[in-house]
Amino acid sequence: MIRVNDDITLKDWELSESFSRSSGPGGQNVNKVSTAVELRFEAARSPHLSQPVKARLKRIAGRKWAQDGAITIRVEDTRSQARNREIAAERLAEMIRKALVAPKRRIPTKPTKGSQRRRMDAKTKRGQVKALRGRVTDD
């Protein structure tokens, strides 16, 4: 079980873990012990998440989201399998916490009359400076 927040707790049937040998440094430990963790969360079938949350989670997960609606997180950061499991669970929980926050709707605003006037005055002044450039003729 993974506790996301006070309301949401992911059940064991939604999660599955598989272990494999990790790549990278670690000496003989890498060749002998399966420390890498692959955590799989059935996000599309989860009853704890609403449809808008699932849509945001799919966007946040990106390539980690599989075709069947599962999120796969692979962790091989440390030499300890237990620590890798904790890291994977925390990454999943953090991803879900981000998806729970609905983005604020942007309210379009109009520029003020004063800012419009200042903008037009600056453009006019700049145009006059450019118009005064060039050859000077003797009149």
Side-chain angles (χ1 to χ4, degrees):
M1 262 182 8
I2 297 176
R3 187 175 184 82
V4 177
N5 61 16
D6 294 338
D7 301 329
I8 298 174
T9 304
L10 304 177
K11 304 292 183 222
D12 289 335
W13 67 266
E14 299 174 277
L15 303 167
S16 63
E17 291 177 329
S18 61
F19 305 99
S20 62
R21 291 198 187 123
S22 186
S23 63
Q28 283 299 310
N29 195 54
V30 171
N31 300 333
K32 296 187 294 187
V33 185
S34 296
T35 57
V37 177
E38 192 170 280
L39 179 67
R40 187 174 165 87
F41 169 58
E42 300 294 335
R45 296 184 349 186
S46 178
H48 305 294
L49 305 176
S50 63
Q51 284 301 328
V53 172
K54 288 178 186 177
R56 287 192 295 268
L57 185 60
K58 183 176 182 178
R59 186 180 50 78
I60 289 169
R63 293 176 58 191
K64 294 179 179 89
W65 185 279
Q67 290 286 73
D68 61 347
I71 295 175
T72 306
I73 298 175
R74 181 173 170 82
V75 178
E76 50 184 69
D77 295 352
T78 66
R79 292 179 60 171
S80 166
Q81 187 185 81
R83 183 68 186 121
N84 283 341
R85 289 176 75 186
E86 291 172 8
I87 293 170
E90 186 54 42
R91 285 183 187 169
L92 177 64
E94 186 60 35
M95 199 180 291
I96 294 171
R97 279 187 215 111
K98 282 183 185 175
L100 288 172
V101 178
K104 273 177 54 176
R105 190 159 171 261
R106 184 186 175 278
I107 301 169
T109 58
K110 284 185 177 178
T112 61
K113 286 281 186 194
S115 68
Q116 288 178 353
R117 194 174 300 114
R118 283 189 298 273
R119 179 174 155 268
M120 295 312 291
D121 290 344
K123 286 172 74 70
T124 305
K125 187 176 176 183
R126 185 72 182 149
Q128 288 172 351
V129 167
K130 288 189 173 193
L132 290 173
R133 289 183 188 150
R135 293 193 176 268
V136 179
T137 57
D138 293 332
D139 286 343

